[in-house]
């Protein structure tokens, strides 16, 4: 050769076989190829890095790239980059395979330099630095000129020492790819091609396919975890369902029963991150403490504010490390840096949050042990309380964004609270705040376990004579009330009222609130005579205690107006509705759920009086506002849909009315269940619409369904039941 070197054929130094079960990562491979081969970019782009958590498949993706595009390169070199010694050893091996003159130099630095110079002169080579978790040690090994391509795999996230500002961040497998991998790897589906490994759209999955789907989700779509599970399943020939059942009981202990067999993973899950975690603990104890706390939260979108505002509650070393973090936001970024350097967390500046993999959480909790875990959960409740409304009182509308951000994390803490028998009044307050938030958001199935846990905690800690017990009784009463379980709600409301009177006296805002709740329950049951004095007493008490301008006074005006409306006392109801609407607008602004409620109620009054032109814009405004503020699926949205549909029906606008009624029925069934009185009411309304269209048999069926709901729930004499029975009778008479 003209350069004096002896050729022995193009070197191929990839130490691993191609993984026949490699799945997914197509977009990463395509992006990597495009960026490395883009001739329009600077030479700096000829160096690229794949960054990600240990076990995410960086090495095997690099292996796949090398095999897939081997024909595009004359030389492919693989360099272990864990340490400077390993780098040097790999370069000596390259020198020997290239038969460079200094391949056996006594000073190995000379050999390294000879390889660097060779790389600077030659072209069309691929150089892979694998496991370069300390990118800062690579520059002395880089060629002076880059005429080939350099690919780095690393847990690190900062590659500025290599001139890379934006590495390719490797995420978990997609759900589809993770399932396909499990099926292919275990031989449960023919590997003819990616499309053949995926279940066909629209086909009900078999129990085994569903178990594989659930297992992939439980393992967080992490390739190493999937490989370990698959290795055990293949070795022991067990069904996915059996493995899934065992994993849900034993968690990490079950996963560690098998080591990875394929995919170039040197260690199992338990040991893959062990050295990283120990290094963080040794060099950055505050970062390690933060990571430990994260192990007991939901893995996604952990808000920065939990640590910046709650640092004092989390003890040392975080209290000192983040003492000034509310004033200097970079303090937290400094703290997170050691965790990011191993990809143990993912920082999300846009949402001011961080995330980590659920299996990292599993490993941390296993290291801490059951007794140690309790020490981390209780401070988290205290830190959480610093972000919630003052003293964790019942949340107002302005508190909703904060509560929505914390919902998943409070639910996770509630699970640990249950598992570890953690009992504290702060925990009860946090759970109460979130439970009452879920109530107003119409998420009753999520609210129920939280509110029941609060009652259990408060009774065990406070006894039966405490104001907080009355608050829990009241909240549980609302839970039953909103779901139409009036018989269960009434004694809870009555007990809350009696306890509040004993503890707080007859004149207190919470006593007025209890009167209102009990009165509204009676009104829902058609017990108007019992409801009216309670509503009037509540209104008078609130005016005395809170003044004439207060949101609770507006609520009482609205509730009394609704009572009069239900009795057909429109002249008394209208000024109360108008006063409530005006007050809510003054105090809460134009955009508030209570304003939408008031618009809806005033519109209902106008509709019943035949004032359709005045009712329609109010209904439409209420519907649009509720959708904006509460979301499309909230049960209150169904109120507007039902009412607007009835307005259209009354005007013979049947085609406009029917889809609104159908959607209201769907929403209420979804959120309230099949036997809620509201479901019965909207079913009857749909029957009235069909009757008006002479769809007699459909109407009769709906009336019968409505009666089957209303009569057991409300009784035979409730106005709604009576009206539905009369509608059915008229239909029969017409025949």
């Amino acid at each position: 050769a003209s350069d004096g070197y002896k050729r022995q054929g193009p070197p191929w130094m990839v130490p691993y076989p191609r993984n026949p079960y490699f799945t997914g990562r197509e977009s990463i491979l395509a992006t990597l190829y495009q960026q490395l081969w883009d001739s329009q970019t600077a030479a700096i782009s000829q160096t690229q890095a794949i960054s990600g958590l240990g076990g995410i498949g960086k090495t095997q993706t690099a292996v796949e790239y090398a095999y897939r595009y081997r024909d595009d390169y004359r030389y492919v070199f693989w360099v272990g980059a864990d340490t400077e010694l390993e780098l040097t050893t790999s370069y000596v091996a390259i020198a020997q395979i290239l038969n460079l003159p200094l391949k056996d130099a006594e000073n190995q630095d000379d050999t390294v330099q000879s390889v660097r110079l060779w790389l600077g002169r030659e072209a069309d080579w691929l150089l892979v630095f694998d496991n370069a978790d300390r990118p800062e040690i690579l520059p002395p090994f880089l060629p002076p000129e880059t005429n080939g391509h350099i690919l780095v795999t690393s847990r690190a996230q900062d590659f500025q020492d290599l001139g890379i500002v934006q590495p390719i961040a490797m995420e978990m497998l997609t759900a589809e790819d993770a399932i396909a991998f499990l099926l292919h790897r275990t031989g449960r589906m023919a590997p003819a091609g990616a499309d053949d490994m995926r279940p066909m759209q629209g086909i009900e999955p078999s129990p085994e396919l569903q178990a594989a789907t659930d297992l992939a989700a439980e393992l967080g779509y992490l390739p190493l975890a999937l490989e370990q599970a698959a290795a055990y399943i293949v070795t022991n020939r067990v069904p996915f369902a059996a493995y899934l059942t065992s994993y849900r009981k034993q968690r990490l202990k079950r996963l560690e029963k098998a080591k990875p067999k394929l995919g170039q993973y040197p260690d199992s899950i338990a040991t893959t991150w062990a050295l990283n975690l120990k290094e963080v603990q040794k060099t950055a104890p505050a970062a390690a403490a933060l990571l430990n706390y994260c192990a007991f939260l939901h893995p996604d979108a952990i808000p920065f504010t939990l640590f910046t505002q709650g640092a004092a509650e989390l003890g040392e070393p975080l209290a000192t490390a983040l003492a000034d973090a509310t004033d200097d936001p970079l303090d937290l970024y400094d703290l997170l840096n050691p965790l990011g350097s191993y990809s143990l967390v993912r920082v999300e500046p846009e949402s001011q949050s961080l995330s980590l993999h659920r299996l990292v959480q599993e490993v941390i909790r296993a290291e801490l042990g059951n007794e140690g875990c309790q020490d981390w959960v209780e401070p988290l409740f205290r830190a959480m309380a610093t972000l919630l409304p003052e003293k964790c009182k019942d949340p107002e509308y302005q508190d909703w964004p904060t509560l929505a951000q914390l919902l998943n994390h409070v639910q996770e803490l509630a699970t640990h609270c249950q598992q570890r028998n953690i009992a504290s009044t702060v925990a009860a307050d946090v759970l109460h705040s979130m439970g009452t938030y879920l109530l107003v958001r119409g998420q009753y199935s999520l609210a129920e376990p939280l509110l029941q846990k609060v009652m259990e905690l408060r009774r065990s800690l406070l006894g039966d004579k405490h104001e907080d017990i009355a608050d829990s009784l009241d909240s549980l009463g609302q839970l039953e009330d909103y779901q139409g379980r009036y018989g269960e709600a009434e004694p809870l409301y009555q007990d809350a009222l009696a306890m509040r009177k004993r503890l707080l006296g007859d004149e207190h805002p919470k006593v007025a609130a209890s009167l209102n709740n009990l009165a509204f329950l009676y009104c829902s049951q058609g017990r108007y005579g019992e409801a009216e004095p309670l509503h009037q007493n509540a209104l008078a008490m609130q005016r005395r205690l809170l003044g004439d301008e207060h949101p609770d006074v507006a609520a009482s005006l609205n509730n009394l107006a609704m009572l009069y409306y239900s009795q057909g006392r429109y002249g008394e109801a209208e000024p109360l509705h108008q006063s409530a609407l005006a007050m809510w607008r003054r105090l809460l602004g134009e955009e508030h759920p209570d304003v939408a409620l008031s618009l809806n109620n005033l519109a209902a009054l106008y509709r019943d009086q035949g004032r359709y032109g005045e009712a329609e814009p109010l209904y439409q405004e209420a519907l649009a506002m509720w959708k904006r503020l509460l979301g499309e699926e909230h049960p209150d949205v169904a109120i507007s849909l039902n009412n607007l549909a009835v307005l259209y029906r009354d005007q013979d606008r049947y085609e406009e009315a029917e889809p609104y009624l159908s959607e209201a029925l769907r929403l209420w069934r979804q959120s309230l269940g099949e036997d809620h009185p509201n479901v019965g009411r909207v079913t009857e309304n749909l029957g009235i619409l069909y009757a008006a269209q002479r769809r007699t048999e459909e109407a009769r069926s709906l009336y019968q369904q409505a009666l089957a709901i209303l009569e057991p729930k409300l009784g035979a004499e409730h106005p709604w039941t009576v009206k539905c029975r009369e509608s059915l009778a008229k239909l029969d008479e017409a025949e």
Side-chain angles (χ1 to χ4, degrees):
S2 59
D3 58 10
Y5 295 117
K6 181 181 179 181
R7 303 292 189 198
Q8 295 182 337
W12 171 261
M13 293 182 63
V14 178
Y16 305 114
R18 193 173 190 177
N19 184 356
Y21 300 102
F22 183 86
T23 305
R25 306 304 194 194
E26 293 302 319
S27 63
I28 287 180
L29 290 166
T31 298
L32 190 58
Y33 185 84
Q34 179 183 2
Q35 291 183 356
L36 288 173
W37 286 96
D38 188 350
S39 60
Q40 301 302 312
T41 60
I44 205 169
S45 70
Q46 294 173 318
T47 301
Q48 292 297 335
I50 301 175
S51 170
L53 179 68
I56 206 168
K58 301 179 296 295
T59 295
Q60 62 173 304
T61 300
V63 169
E64 177 64 21
Y65 178 87
Y67 276 96
R68 186 173 296 193
Y69 300 113
R70 66 185 301 174
D71 292 340
D72 293 309
Y73 296 99
R74 292 173 61 199
Y75 314 94
V76 178
F77 305 110
W78 196 275
V79 175
D82 280 335
T83 63
E84 294 179 45
L85 176 60
E86 190 174 16
L87 284 163
T88 299
T89 302
S90 295
Y91 266 53
V92 169
I94 292 173
Q96 291 175 342
I97 200 169
L98 291 174
N99 198 29
L100 300 182
L102 294 176
K103 67 181 187 300
D104 296 318
E106 184 175 345
N107 186 344
Q108 291 187 328
D109 288 343
D110 295 336
T111 307
V112 169
Q113 292 305 314
S114 71
V115 174
R116 290 181 66 242
L117 292 173
W118 185 92
L119 291 169
R121 288 193 300 268
E122 295 291 332
D124 300 332
W125 46 259
L126 172 66
L127 176 63
V128 179
F129 289 105
D130 189 32
N131 293 324
D133 294 343
R134 292 192 294 146
E136 67 274 10
I137 69 174
L138 292 185
F141 295 86
L142 299 179
E145 299 289 337
T146 306
N147 298 315
H149 295 160
I150 297 173
L151 175 58
V152 179
T153 73
S154 176
R155 301 184 193 192
Q157 296 176 346
D158 184 356
F159 299 91
Q160 294 181 80
D161 289 318
L162 307 182
I164 301 172
V165 177
Q166 290 185 316
I168 297 174
M170 183 168 284
E171 306 291 344
M172 302 305 136
L173 288 172
T174 65
E176 187 179 48
D177 285 338
I179 297 163
F181 171 79
L182 280 177
L183 296 174
H184 186 188
R185 174 69 174 82
T186 57
R188 307 292 166 93
M189 191 171 284
D195 292 337
D196 297 317
M197 294 189 291
R198 291 165 171 76
M200 294 178 65
Q201 295 294 323
I203 295 180
E204 188 71 22
S206 67
E208 267 294 88
L209 179 56
Q210 186 60 57
T213 300
D214 294 343
L215 178 59
E218 288 274 1
L219 297 175
Y221 310 120
L222 181 70
L224 173 54
L226 295 166
E227 165 60 27
Q228 281 186 246
Y232 183 94
I233 289 168
V234 169
T235 299
N236 296 281
R237 300 181 182 181
V238 301
F240 286 121
Y243 188 93
L244 176 63
T245 298
S246 180
Y247 177 77
R248 283 173 169 164
K249 290 180 179 179
Q250 298 190 41
R251 310 302 294 179
L252 190 64
K253 186 177 178 182
R254 167 52 59 199
L255 195 61
E256 289 297 296
K257 294 288 186 181
K259 306 303 180 188
K261 299 289 182 70
L262 300 172
Q264 296 82 53
Y265 298 109
D267 295 308
S268 67
I269 283 288
T271 55
T272 289
W273 305 312
L275 290 177
N276 295 156
L277 293 172
K278 288 178 181 177
E279 183 66 19
V280 172
Q281 180 67 56
K282 178 181 176 182
T283 61
L290 184 144
L291 190 63
N292 287 349
Y293 280 121
C294 288
F296 299 94
L297 299 166
H298 192 277
D300 299 324
I302 301 170
F304 287 174
T305 50
L306 183 61
F307 301 106
T308 55
Q309 293 184 33
E313 302 296 338
L314 299 175
E316 297 297 344
L318 279 176
T320 297
L322 295 175
D324 300 320
T326 52
D327 298 322
D328 188 346
L330 295 189
D331 282 357
L332 181 62
Y333 284 92
D334 291 340
L335 186 66
L336 292 172
N337 182 263
L339 304 178
S341 67
Y342 298 113
S343 292
L344 291 168
V345 300
R346 183 173 65 255
V347 176
E348 296 157 347
E350 298 81 7
S351 61
Q352 290 290 282
S353 66
L354 63 99
S355 301
L356 71 165
H357 197 277
R358 66 182 61 184
L359 286 174
V360 173
Q361 294 179 304
E362 295 271 3
V363 170
I364 293 170
R365 291 197 297 266
E367 288 290 321
L368 293 173
N370 286 332
E371 292 184 6
C373 286
Q374 185 160 334
D375 296 335
W376 299 92
V377 175
E378 290 194 42
L380 277 171
F381 274 113
R382 295 196 297 270
M384 195 73 68
T386 67
L387 304 184
L388 295 176
E390 184 183 359
K391 296 183 180 178
C392 297
K393 63 181 175 59
D394 292 345
E396 303 291 344
Y397 173 66
Q398 65 267 19
D399 303 320
W400 290 8
T402 297
L403 288 159
Q405 188 181 36
L406 298 177
L407 172 59
N408 289 338
H409 305 297
V410 172
Q411 289 179 306
E412 197 73 22
L413 287 175
T415 299
H416 293 300
C417 187
Q418 187 72 34
Q419 291 173 343
R420 295 175 170 84
N421 297 317
I422 292 170
S424 74
T425 55
V426 174
D429 291 344
V430 169
L431 298 179
H432 173 82
S433 188
M434 191 59 70
T436 52
Y437 162 71
L438 290 167
L439 267 184
V440 297
R441 296 312 308 267
Q443 299 182 46
Y444 307 128
S445 61
L446 297 179
E448 187 163 2
L450 295 185
L451 293 176
Q452 288 176 338
K453 181 63 179 177
V454 172
M455 178 62 85
E456 175 191 326
L457 287 173
R458 285 177 168 170
R459 279 190 164 144
S460 67
L461 295 167
L462 304 172
D464 286 328
K465 296 180 180 180
H466 193 280
E467 180 184 341
D468 289 351
I469 300 291
D471 291 347
S472 282
L473 288 167
D474 191 64
S475 295
L476 287 169
Q478 291 178 55
L479 178 70
E480 302 293 349
D481 187 357
Y482 295 167
Q483 296 179 91
R485 303 200 291 253
Y486 303 136
E488 292 86 347
E490 185 172 354
L492 293 168
Y493 279 154
Q494 289 173 332
D495 287 350
L497 174 60
M499 189 176 294
R500 282 173 168 170
K501 282 184 172 181
R502 285 197 308 271
L503 298 173
L504 305 174
D506 289 339
E507 288 277 306
H508 193 279
K510 286 188 175 182
V511 172
S514 276
L515 291 171
N516 245 324
N517 287 342
L518 194 54
F520 202 84
L521 175 70
Y522 291 159
C523 194
S524 298
Q525 296 173 294
R527 298 160 63 181
Y528 304 130
E530 296 171 80
E532 186 168 352
L534 297 182
H535 273 318
Q536 290 173 333
N537 288 344
L539 175 59
M541 188 184 302
Q542 286 168 332
R543 278 179 163 158
R544 287 193 301 273
L545 298 171
L546 306 172
D548 288 332
E549 285 282 304
H550 192 279
D552 289 352
V553 172
S556 279
L557 289 169
N558 171 81
N559 293 346
L560 188 56
M562 286 303 296
L563 172 68
Y564 292 157
Y565 161 77
S566 299
Q567 296 174 292
R569 297 159 63 180
Y570 303 135
E572 296 170 83
E574 184 169 353
L576 296 180
H577 272 316
Q578 290 172 334
S579 295
L581 176 58
M583 191 181 300
W584 266 328
R585 279 176 162 161
R586 286 194 303 273
L587 298 173
L588 306 176
E590 293 289 338
E591 285 280 302
H592 192 283
D594 289 345
V595 172
L597 174 68
S598 199
L599 289 167
N600 172 82
N601 293 345
L602 187 57
L605 180 72
Y606 292 158
R607 186 201 72 218
D608 275 18
Q609 294 175 289
R611 297 157 64 179
Y612 302 138
E614 296 172 82
E616 185 170 354
L618 297 182
Y619 272 147
Q620 290 173 333
E621 188 179 352
L623 176 60
M625 192 181 299
W626 262 331
K627 283 184 173 180
R628 285 194 303 271
L629 301 179
L630 305 179
E632 302 272 347
E633 299 292 304
H634 194 281
D636 284 358
V637 171
I639 295 174
S640 274
L641 290 168
N642 173 77
N643 293 350
L644 196 50
V646 171
L647 176 72
Y648 292 154
R649 186 195 67 201
D650 291 348
Q651 299 174 83
D652 300 334
R653 296 159 63 181
Y654 302 137
E655 290 185 2
E656 296 173 81
E658 185 170 353
Y660 278 46
L661 285 172
S662 297
E663 178 64 4
L665 182 58
R666 182 192 71 80
L667 281 178
W668 270 332
R669 279 176 169 164
Q670 173 182 290
S671 59
L672 303 176
E674 295 286 342
D675 62 347
H676 192 281
N678 285 355
V679 172
R681 189 72 185 276
V682 75
T683 301
E684 182 204 358
N685 285 335
L686 193 56
I688 295 171
L689 175 67
Y690 288 165
Q693 295 174 292
R694 299 177 185 269
R695 296 160 65 177
T696 306
E697 289 308 312
E698 291 174 272
R700 177 179 286 106
S701 175
L702 290 171
Y703 287 151
Q704 290 169 342
Q705 291 175 42
L707 268 178
I709 296 170
L710 296 173
E711 195 158 355
K713 281 287 183 180
L714 303 178
E717 302 307 315
H718 190 280
W720 289 5
T721 310
V722 171
K723 182 175 176 292
C724 187
R725 200 163 46 240
E726 289 173 351
S727 296
L728 181 59
K730 287 179 184 177
L731 194 69
D732 292 336
E733 289 170 7
E735 293 189 341

